Amino acid sequence: MSFASKWIMATMTVLGTATMGHSTADQLSQFRWNHRILVIFSDRSDDANYVQQMGALKGTQKSVAERDMLIISVVADVAAIIDKPQLKLDAYSLRKRFGAEGRGFRAVLIGKDGGAKLSSNRPITPAELFSTIDAMPMRQSEMR
């Protein structure tokens, strides 16, 4: 099964149960200091930018794991964490927090401290993503 297919399946797994009832801060605070998060927003799973972003991440699981990353897909009103579809998130709150309420494509990298480190309306290449993370002081400390 392809990486993009896993994303779509994870998203569909939580269809209808995506609302958590907690604020976005509460949702993401459980990951603070332990994970960096890439949130990928799209209005459709077949959007060209979304497909390109998913394709770019294919085969990067080792690099993602080395950098303690989680990837959250927000397609329309459904939010899911890849490989952790049992953890339900509120798509509306995520869209509001990261300025993705108007739909369309957006990718946001969140550091372990909970702050947005990189935001783009175009797909982010793995090289740009990983170099941004690797330049972070906390990551520099982790690599020592």
Side-chain angles (χ1 to χ4, degrees), residues 82-139:
I82 189 68
D83 296 330
K84 296 181 189 309
Q86 71 278 10
L87 297 177
K88 293 161 185 59
L89 302 171
D90 181 10
Y92 174 78
S93 295
L94 288 168
R95 285 185 176 283
K96 187 173 180 178
R97 177 175 177 190
F98 296 108
E101 294 165 285
R103 304 290 171 100
F105 178 86
R106 186 176 190 90
V108 180
L109 174 64
I110 303 163
K112 285 187 173 183
D113 64 357
K117 307 301 181 187
L118 178 65
S119 181
S120 179
N121 291 325
R122 62 169 178 74
I124 301 171
T125 66
E128 182 180 8
L129 180 65
F130 299 142
S131 67
T132 299
I133 292 170
D134 291 346
M136 294 175 182
M138 192 175 296
R139 175 67 178 148

Side-chain angles (χ1 to χ4, degrees), residues 6-7 14 19 21 28 34 43 51 53 58 67 70 76 97-98 109 117-119 128 130 138 140:
K6 286 182 182 178
W7 273 91
V14 297
T19 303
L28 300 182
N34 295 310
D43 55 345
V51 171
Q53 184 69 77
K58 185 178 179 180
R67 290 167 178 83
L70 293 177
R97 177 175 177 190
F98 296 108
L109 174 64
K117 307 301 181 187
L118 178 65
S119 181
E128 182 180 8
F130 299 142
M138 192 175 296
Q140 290 286 313

